[in-house]
Amino acid sequence: MANSANLSTPASEHESHNIGAQEHTDEIGTWDDIFRFEDDYHWSTGLDSSEEVSDFEDGTDTGGEKQNTDKIRMFKLQRILDQLDIFYQQKKLNVLQAREELKAFQLHVTNLEELRDKIEVDIEREKQAENSVALFRLCAQHKRVCAELQVEEDLGAHLAMILKEHELELCQVEVELGRFSSLRQQLELEEKNVRSQDKKKQKLRLQREKNVIKERRLKAQQDKIESDKALQKEVDVHTKQQEQSLASKAAVYFKQTLQRMKQKEAEAEERRKELIKKRQTAVMTLKASFAATQETMCARKKRQKAYEQKQKEQEQHMRESLEAKGLNSTELIHRLRLQQHFNRKIVEFEDTQRVAQMEIVAKLFLEQNTKERCRKSVLSHEKKHDENLLQNLLPPSAHTRREERHVVSSSRASYVRSHSVGDSDVSSSLDSAELKWGEHVEMEDEDEREMTLAQSEFTGLWEHKDYTAASDETIQLETSYTSIKTDMKKSLVSKVPKNTVKSRDSKGPPFISKPEIVLFKDCNVGKIYKKKVTLTNVTYMTNYCKLLGVSQNLKDYVSVSFEPPGPMSAGMTCELEVIFKPLLDVDLGGVIQFQSATGPFSVSIKCAKKKCEMVVDQCLVDFGTHVIGQKVSRVITLTNRGSIGTCYMLTPISTGPLQQTFVNTLVSGKTASAEMPSVNAENTVQIPSDTENTGRVSPVSSHSPNEVLMADPGSVDTTVEQSFEPTEFSIGEAYEGDVDPFMSVKLPIIFTPTIPGEAKLDFQITFSQPSCEPIVVSVCGVAEIAPVWVTEPNIDLKICMYDRLYQDSIKVQSRASTALRLTFKVCKEMRNHMSILPKTGFIQAKSSFSAQLKFLPRQSLYADAKSFFNKDTGVLEVPLTVQVADQVRPVPFMVHSVITSSDLQFNHTEVDFGHCSIYESAQHTVRLTNCSLLPQEFGFVGNPKFIDIQPNDGFGTLLPLQCMDIYLIFNPSKAGEYNFTLTCKTSINRDFLLSCHATAIQPSLKLSNCLVEFGRTAVGDRTTAVLYLENQQPQPPPHISTGHKAAAQLFTFSVPENSDITITPTSGRVLPGQKCLVQVTFSPTLSDDAISAEALRWREEFHNDTSNCQYTEADTKKMETSLFLVKDHCSKVMSANGSLVHSPSPADIQAGCFEYLAVKASLLRSFNERHVRHVISCFTSSSDIVLDTSEEPRYSPHETLYLELRCPVIRPALLLISDSGHNTIYFNQVAVGQKVLKKVIIQNISSETVKLTSSLLDVTGPFSVLNAMRSIGPEDTHTLLIAFTPFLAKKYYETLEVSCSQMMLKLALCGEAVNPIITCSNEGHIKFDYVPVNESTSQTFRLQNMSSLDVRFSVLLESHFLTERNDRILAVMDSTVHVGTQNYSGMSVFRASPSGGAITSDGAVDITVTFHPDHESLHYRDVLRVQLMNKQTVCMLELWGSSCQHNMFVCGGDPVDVCSESLIPSHIYTSGLIKHEESKSLLLTLRSEYQEGRAIVATRRLHVGCVYSTKPTTKKMIEFIWENISPVEQQGFKVAPMQGIVDAGHECLITITWMPPSGLTPNAVVQACALLTIRGDETEVYRVTLMAHTDKNTST
């Protein structure tokens, strides 16, 4: 049936394929539909499209409708062509699928034919064996296979027809595609034309838009000019009117103005002295603080040192204890440190997550409160209050603001921290603070803008606003609050029963509430308020929740409705209802206390009454300085932060005649907050920038608002009578009105100066609510008059150079109504350097006048104007004046400038290049410094040909005070002396000279290349360059006598130590006119010092991460048992508390260790491209001088050659990541003939795809690469499978080179082959005698490994290879096969355990053979083979076994049946016969021999045994008895014993003897029968046939 199912598979696949193809065809349309649509489209639009294309190319535009029609036609045509392409791809796919199906069908038919041939062969074999059952089965199978072949033939014809159909359709589609090729080209041309036309339209549209924008800009400019003219005309008329009205008053108040100016100067001088005194005091305080800080640091260092010493001692003690136990203390401590670091990271993550959750809950709570306040504020607008009790209150102090800010910070802290149960008073105070924070939540954004962490440690150094953090008092209060809550929590935790359920460690409360704070705000007395609270179990266990009650102060007002839910799983929630009924109009606060399995927890409750709190944004309004006649307005924002509305009235405070009297009582310490309120965005108006002067105090008063508030209250209580007087300050229309809850109003104050000088006035805001105290706002302003002024009183000429001319314009503005004469005056000290043109001029009324300032600083500036010029800093400050006719005081203005020089300076006045070879270059560095404060451009001009100046060929720009290294390169072309001068010219045409001297020589030897530029070489790769060293027989140098002849030259290259450069040969001798080949190799590697330094840095970072971890005694015990698989052995050992025993050193990092290789791999991955430059010296000497003097060669420094090597080093493209990066692959010891595989993983760490290639290995050697090389992308890996298959017992070594386009990676392959030697403790066979059916017994033998390597083996049974039933039958019939009877169940009767494994060197393995029969038989037999991995058999044992159905057996007789068992069921050949006999038969044959004419007694033995069984019902002994023994004895037979009892597990020997009776004929057979009855768990009767005869060969 399985075969038939397989045969039907191709057909089903073909059907499914046809269905899928049909579905796809339905989606895109059939072939006929597409071509029918194509034909319609072609005939309807073919001619029109060509005409339209030609018209479009000619540039004729017939209108927008025609263009749209062309685009629509083009898009439709494109879509049709795309559908045709998709149809072609689908047909092509159908052909491929049909071919694959046909190929699979042919393969399946071939398999069926092979199966049919095999069945026919089996049928012939069974016919010969006359096995009817097998023959019947094979015939049925043959018939079924033939039927399947017939079906497959029909299916094959069908598949071939389908393939032909698909191929025909594909050809048709290809033909149609060729037919539409011209249409496709035409479509591409149309698309190109449409795109070009669209671009033209876009350009035209863009040009039109630009023209429109330009016209609009011109019109806007014209409108602006006209409006400016009209505005200026109005201003001139208004100013003229004001000047006429104030002309008479100007002289009267002029003297008063002068007196006030003098008074201001005196006050300024006094403030300056006080400031200097404060700074001196601050400096002394700072010095004392530095001394105290140093002492504190010294003490802290000593304590830290003692603490570290103690940690070292504890760690040393731990190390000794661990080593005493035989453990690796370094590894254990290191692993525990890693575990502690990991645990700390987990705890930090959980804390961060918990804080984030609490912040989210807090934000939700704030949003809910904000919505509630908005709803109540809308309801409170309907209430109107008639009471107008006015009180006077000074501006609030900074101390009050600090207290409010402390309340906010403490409430936030208490909200975020876990809730704990406290006393009623403490919780009440804390809850009231948190309620205040809830009321001032609208001020949060403004507080965050005003708060700053910058606070000066010593006052007096600078002025700052009091926006700092909480004071010392606040910090102490918060600390005490935290300690009280902590103590309470500890006391409650101690009361928790000890039998609480243990769970995971959980920080924080076991339940969290939503909302976390139950807030009842703006409550009315007598009403009932309800809120639902949800409690969530946030522990990791099943918990319960029990209500304990509420705080003592809330019992009369708050009740809780809560039904205990019972046990709650983690994450489950329960609800409770909190009912609040206010009886008094007071603020309340407390907690709801609960008990859980993990401890108590609480939910906070806060109840707040309705309030009215009024604040202003600023208590001091400074209008600044303004000209008389202007009108300036400022706005004060009055904000109601409470939920109760009130009426307000703004009135001025005056000391003039009585008009309206108010009694104002000033009470210190109860002022309104002067901070900027942060109300709802829709009710808040931004304050102009010129009104942000809230911290200033009027110069008239010598006391600050803080000093007034700190004064005695009794001295402040006064009764002031106020009246309205016409002053320079006035109030707008909104001087009285209502302020709704949480709303704000704006109060305008107008300043109209009429008299020159300073004006001040105080305003008072009173409220109708008794709880709101009055607020005082002070305003001030200064008025001045000046008809002529300089628009820029400070003229900054920036940085100027000596002897350079600088100019600027001086602009004077006049507001006078008449023309005035101006005279510009320059002090006599600056007349040689500065002038103003013209010196005198007239400025017209209401206009401006410009003069030209010329400044030419000379070198004598310091001598002429010492009082204005600072030579050290170069700062020049010149006061100038403009004298106005009929004006006593001139108009002053100041000219500022910084004077600098234009010098460039060399650090050497003369440069000596020394001796230089004509084949090389000599370089000298000089430093050029710009002494000016301005950048200067420079350049070396007129340079000789043999000199090269870098960088940028000697041209550049020097920044102010910048130094630049100039490289002078001397390249002589011939020998001789060189003296020359270099000229450096600046952009202002200044020259700076530099003298140079050099000597050029011609050496005896010459290098073919003095500069070698290696290619980009990867780390671990190598690059080689070839040079030639030539002896050109030059003329003797000047320092050698002219009689000396040219001779051979000696050379020696001086290669730096530990460099990546190798030169071969490093020294030698070159004969005249000959060359010597020199090979230079560059092989970059990572130095051991760099790797060790990086490893130490890793260790230090690890130490920094783990230096803060603390270990307990329990952790110390865990340290001994926690083992992590780390291979590196760090020299850094941590003690129990995390201190370092000794600092790591580079000597601890050994090359080749795991840590070393890991760091090396990390450095290779992060390696950045670098360029290395080496200059190798080649010393030369004459060999003849050495031979003549027999001395060491003397090398002349002047004839030394220099070889420059430029070596770019790049990151390697390939990285070996397997085996910790080791390049040597060790196969270790391998058995001869065994195949061992090693995986080598190579990673591409470059940014490009590389193609791998490899070198060839020895084809006759044991190493081979099993897989091919391929291209690998960036960060991809490639695994090489390298096999080692040795054939001889010896050591092997080969080198494999894996290369790419960028580098080559060498792999060393090493392996050793040995012959395995395995011995077996048992030889021959293993026998199991009479085992009960369905029970088992075992025997063991040992395999001993005598070789020096681990050997893998497998235990094989011969019966496992005889899988087919026919093979089993043949094996039973064939006497040469060592497989006997097997179990009926199909399971093997013999089992070996283990069936395979590995034997270590000089080790042994015990193999257990188990015998488990499932039926009674005496012919169980099998063969056990022990085979090694190289298919070598080292041991073969024969397994024999017999079994019995009952607990008794008899053995020792002659065999009367065959040794094999028939596999044909018994009912086939025993039909009609007796199925079983009542007794069993035994045959004993006795043979007697004659010796010396006398017969010898013949003896046979029978064994009667009782089998030990594990079944409880089996009897523990058996009985046997001989019956009908008399006839037997008459024939000469004797049996002993006649009866007996045999215990379980024992046997009894029965001896049977026969003595031939006298007169017996030789070779006569004597036969007798006896019955042997055995009684056990059942009774069995054996019919024992005794046959005896004498041997005639031995008879006399």
Side-chain angles (χ1 to χ4, degrees), residues 8 36 46 368 458 463 506 565 689 735 774 898 1107 1181 1209 1246 1345 1557:
S8 62
R36 182 171 62 254
Q368 183 178 0
F458 309 99
E463 294 295 334
S506 177
S689 59
Y735 64 93
V898 178
S1107 59
S1181 177
V1209 187
S1246 65
N1345 183 10

Side-chain angles (χ1 to χ4, degrees), residues 1284-1447:
F1284 177 55
T1285 310
F1287 302 101
L1288 297 176
K1290 65 177 183 178
K1291 295 182 179 180
Y1292 298 90
Y1293 179 86
E1294 280 193 55
T1295 301
L1296 176 64
E1297 296 178 353
V1298 180
S1299 59
C1300 63
S1301 60
Q1302 300 179 9
M1303 66 169 296
M1304 180 179 62
L1305 184 64
K1306 288 188 176 182
L1307 302 176
L1309 309 179
C1310 303
E1312 181 181 359
V1314 296
N1315 291 317
I1317 302 174
I1318 304 296
T1319 60
C1320 181
S1321 61
N1322 193 346
E1323 297 182 359
H1325 64 276
I1326 298 176
K1327 188 173 182 181
F1328 300 92
D1329 290 332
Y1330 292 98
V1331 178
V1333 175
N1334 294 326
E1335 294 189 15
S1336 62
T1337 183
S1338 302
Q1339 293 188 28
T1340 303
F1341 67 93
R1342 173 166 292 187
L1343 296 178
Q1344 183 75 30
N1345 183 10
M1346 306 301 293
S1347 57
S1348 60
L1349 76 159
D1350 298 346
V1351 177
R1352 297 190 63 83
F1353 70 94
S1354 58
V1355 180
L1356 306 177
L1357 293 175
E1358 190 73 22
S1359 61
H1360 290 175
F1361 295 96
L1362 302 177
T1363 56
E1364 294 292 338
R1365 187 176 183 88
N1366 294 337
D1367 296 340
R1368 288 183 179 272
I1369 296 173
L1370 294 176
V1372 173
M1373 297 175 62
D1374 189 1
S1375 61
T1376 60
V1377 179
H1378 302 286
V1379 179
T1381 303
Q1382 298 296 317
N1383 285 336
Y1384 289 159
S1385 62
M1387 301 295 294
S1388 177
V1389 68
F1390 296 100
R1391 292 194 299 270
S1393 177
S1395 61
I1399 309 176
T1400 59
S1401 177
D1402 296 334
V1405 173
D1406 293 334
I1407 308 298
T1408 301
V1409 180
T1410 304
F1411 175 59
H1412 185 84
D1414 64 354
H1415 67 280
E1416 183 178 5
S1417 178
L1418 303 178
H1419 309 294
Y1420 288 106
R1421 189 170 58 174
D1422 208 338
V1423 177
L1424 182 146
R1425 289 184 176 86
V1426 178
Q1427 195 176 71
L1428 302 183
M1429 296 302 293
N1430 56 359
K1431 306 302 180 181
Q1432 176 184 355
T1433 301
V1434 296
C1435 177
M1436 186 172 69
L1437 300 177
E1438 292 186 1
L1439 306 180
W1440 298 77
S1442 59
S1443 66
C1444 57
Q1445 186 69 29
H1446 305 294
N1447 65 335

Side-chain angles (χ1 to χ4, degrees), residues 1115-1356:
D1115 297 334
T1116 307
K1117 293 180 181 179
K1118 290 181 182 179
M1119 185 189 302
E1120 299 176 0
T1121 58
S1122 61
L1123 298 177
F1124 292 91
L1125 297 177
V1126 291
K1127 301 180 181 179
D1128 56 334
H1129 300 281
C1130 302
S1131 62
K1132 176 178 62 176
V1133 180
M1134 303 297 293
S1135 65
N1137 52 10
S1139 64
L1140 198 63
V1141 173
H1142 62 276
S1143 300
S1145 62
D1148 298 336
I1149 311 299
Q1150 297 180 359
C1153 67
F1154 177 78
E1155 183 180 6
Y1156 179 90
L1157 295 175
V1159 174
K1160 182 179 179 181
S1162 176
L1163 290 177
L1164 289 177
R1165 288 179 178 273
S1166 60
F1167 187 85
N1168 295 326
E1169 182 177 357
R1170 55 188 175 94
H1171 294 266
V1172 182
R1173 177 177 174 271
H1174 296 280
V1175 178
I1176 310 298
S1177 301
C1178 177
F1179 302 100
T1180 62
S1181 177
S1182 177
S1183 61
D1184 295 340
I1185 299 176
V1186 177
L1187 295 175
D1188 295 340
T1189 59
S1190 301
E1191 297 179 356
E1192 292 185 359
R1194 297 179 180 178
Y1195 299 101
S1196 174
H1198 305 308
E1199 294 190 359
T1200 302
L1201 303 178
Y1202 296 96
L1203 175 62
E1204 182 179 357
L1205 306 177
R1206 296 179 182 176
C1207 314
V1209 187
I1210 62 174
R1211 183 178 64 178
L1214 303 179
L1215 179 63
L1216 185 64
I1217 61 176
S1218 59
D1219 197 13
S1220 302
H1222 284 286
N1223 284 24
T1224 303
I1225 301 174
Y1226 296 98
F1227 287 88
N1228 299 326
Q1229 292 183 343
V1230 179
V1232 174
Q1234 182 179 354
K1235 184 177 183 179
V1236 179
L1237 299 179
K1238 285 281 187 178
K1239 291 184 178 181
V1240 178
I1241 302 176
I1242 299 175
Q1243 185 178 18
N1244 178 14
I1245 61 176
S1246 65
S1247 59
E1248 300 177 355
T1249 302
V1250 298
K1251 184 177 182 180
L1252 300 181
T1253 57
S1254 63
S1255 61
L1256 297 178
L1257 296 172
D1258 187 4
V1259 294
T1260 61
F1263 297 104
S1264 60
V1265 179
L1266 302 183
N1267 58 339
M1269 299 294 175
R1270 62 177 178 84
S1271 299
I1272 55 178
E1275 298 302 328
D1276 291 343
T1277 59
H1278 179 63
T1279 303
L1280 293 180
L1281 292 179
I1282 302 178
F1284 177 55
T1285 310
F1287 302 101
L1288 297 176
K1290 65 177 183 178
K1291 295 182 179 180
Y1292 298 90
Y1293 179 86
E1294 280 193 55
T1295 301
L1296 176 64
E1297 296 178 353
V1298 180
S1299 59
C1300 63
S1301 60
Q1302 300 179 9
M1303 66 169 296
M1304 180 179 62
L1305 184 64
K1306 288 188 176 182
L1307 302 176
L1309 309 179
C1310 303
E1312 181 181 359
V1314 296
N1315 291 317
I1317 302 174
I1318 304 296
T1319 60
C1320 181
S1321 61
N1322 193 346
E1323 297 182 359
H1325 64 276
I1326 298 176
K1327 188 173 182 181
F1328 300 92
D1329 290 332
Y1330 292 98
V1331 178
V1333 175
N1334 294 326
E1335 294 189 15
S1336 62
T1337 183
S1338 302
Q1339 293 188 28
T1340 303
F1341 67 93
R1342 173 166 292 187
L1343 296 178
Q1344 183 75 30
N1345 183 10
M1346 306 301 293
S1347 57
S1348 60
L1349 76 159
D1350 298 346
V1351 177
R1352 297 190 63 83
F1353 70 94
S1354 58
V1355 180
L1356 306 177

Side-chain angles (χ1 to χ4, degrees), residues 1464-1526:
I1464 302 176
S1466 59
H1467 67 275
I1468 295 178
Y1469 60 88
T1470 59
S1471 176
L1473 300 178
I1474 299 175
K1475 295 184 179 179
H1476 63 278
E1477 297 179 356
E1478 296 180 355
S1479 62
K1480 298 181 180 180
S1481 300
L1482 288 177
L1483 175 62
L1484 291 179
T1485 303
L1486 292 87
R1487 189 185 63 176
S1488 176
E1489 297 180 355
Y1490 286 92
Q1491 294 182 358
E1492 298 179 355
R1494 209 174 37 166
I1496 301 176
V1497 178
T1499 304
R1500 290 292 300 272
R1501 293 178 176 83
L1502 288 177
H1503 296 270
V1504 178
C1506 180
V1507 179
Y1508 178 80
S1509 177
T1510 58
K1511 296 181 180 179
T1513 58
T1514 305
K1515 297 180 66 175
K1516 301 303 180 182
M1517 62 180 66
I1518 62 173
E1519 298 179 359
F1520 69 90
I1521 186 171
W1522 287 90
E1523 299 177 356
N1524 194 18
I1525 199 63
S1526 299

Side-chain angles (χ1 to χ4, degrees), residues 258-514:
L258 292 178
Q259 290 178 1
R260 281 196 296 269
M261 291 177 64
K262 291 180 181 180
Q263 184 180 358
K264 286 183 180 180
E265 291 178 357
E267 291 176 357
E269 182 66 21
E270 184 179 355
R271 286 196 299 270
R272 187 179 65 81
K273 291 180 180 180
E274 291 179 359
L275 181 60
I276 291 174
K277 187 176 180 180
K278 287 183 180 180
R279 290 182 176 177
Q280 290 176 354
T281 305
V283 169
M284 298 302 295
T285 307
L286 183 62
K287 186 181 296 183
S289 177
F290 284 163
T293 305
Q294 289 179 355
E295 293 178 358
T296 304
M297 292 299 294
C298 292
R300 187 177 298 173
K301 288 181 179 179
K302 290 181 181 179
R303 288 195 300 270
Q304 183 68 19
K305 188 174 181 181
Y307 179 68
E308 291 179 356
Q309 183 65 28
K310 184 178 179 181
Q311 288 180 339
K312 290 181 181 179
E313 293 176 358
Q314 292 178 358
E315 185 172 349
Q316 186 64 26
H317 179 68
M318 181 187 296
R319 182 192 295 275
E320 293 176 356
S321 63
L322 293 176
E323 290 179 354
K325 295 180 182 180
L327 299 176
N328 190 348
S329 60
T330 303
E331 185 175 2
L332 289 176
I333 292 174
H334 176 67
R335 292 174 178 175
L336 182 59
R337 190 182 305 116
L338 293 177
Q339 182 66 24
Q340 292 292 338
H341 178 69
F342 178 72
N343 294 338
R344 186 172 68 254
K345 292 292 185 182
I346 293 176
V347 172
E348 291 177 357
F349 173 75
E350 292 177 352
D351 294 343
T352 305
Q353 193 175 17
R354 188 177 300 107
V355 170
Q357 292 175 357
M358 298 182 72
E359 288 179 355
I360 293 172
V361 174
K363 290 181 179 179
L364 294 176
F365 174 72
L366 294 178
E367 292 177 359
Q368 183 178 0
N369 289 345
T370 304
K371 293 179 180 179
E372 187 68 20
R373 282 196 303 274
C374 293
R375 185 182 64 80
K376 292 182 178 180
S377 63
V378 173
L379 298 176
S380 63
H381 285 172
E382 301 176 358
K383 297 182 180 181
K384 299 296 180 178
H385 302 279
D386 299 331
E387 298 179 3
N388 294 323
L389 182 61
L390 302 177
Q391 296 180 357
N392 186 13
L393 196 61
L394 289 177
S397 64
H399 178 70
T400 304
R401 293 196 299 270
R402 286 197 297 268
E403 289 180 352
E404 291 179 357
R405 195 171 290 111
H406 166 62
V407 170
V408 176
S409 61
S410 64
S411 63
R412 291 177 183 175
S414 64
Y415 184 77
V416 175
R417 290 192 296 266
S418 61
H419 304 289
S420 60
V421 181
D423 294 337
S424 61
D425 296 336
V426 176
S427 59
S428 177
S429 62
L430 294 176
D431 295 338
S432 62
E434 292 179 354
L435 179 59
K436 190 172 183 181
W437 164 72
E439 293 174 353
H440 293 283
V441 68
E442 297 178 358
M443 297 290 294
E444 182 179 0
D445 296 336
E446 187 66 22
D447 291 340
E448 290 178 357
R449 288 195 296 268
E450 292 179 357
M451 290 176 63
T452 176
L453 297 177
Q455 181 181 7
S456 60
E457 186 177 0
F458 309 99
T459 58
L461 293 179
W462 60 81
E463 294 295 334
H464 60 88
K465 297 181 181 180
D466 193 6
Y467 294 153
T468 57
S471 61
D472 296 337
E473 256 178 41
T474 304
I475 296 173
Q476 293 176 2
L477 178 60
E478 187 175 358
T479 305
S480 64
Y481 162 75
T482 306
S483 62
I484 288 172
K485 282 202 169 185
T486 304
D487 295 338
M488 291 178 181
K489 188 174 181 179
K490 290 182 179 178
S491 64
L492 285 176
V493 171
S494 63
K495 297 178 182 179
V496 178
K498 294 183 179 180
N499 55 354
T500 55
V501 181
K502 295 184 179 180
S503 63
R504 302 187 194 175
D505 296 337
S506 177
K507 297 183 179 180
F511 286 80
I512 61 172
S513 64
K514 183 178 180 181

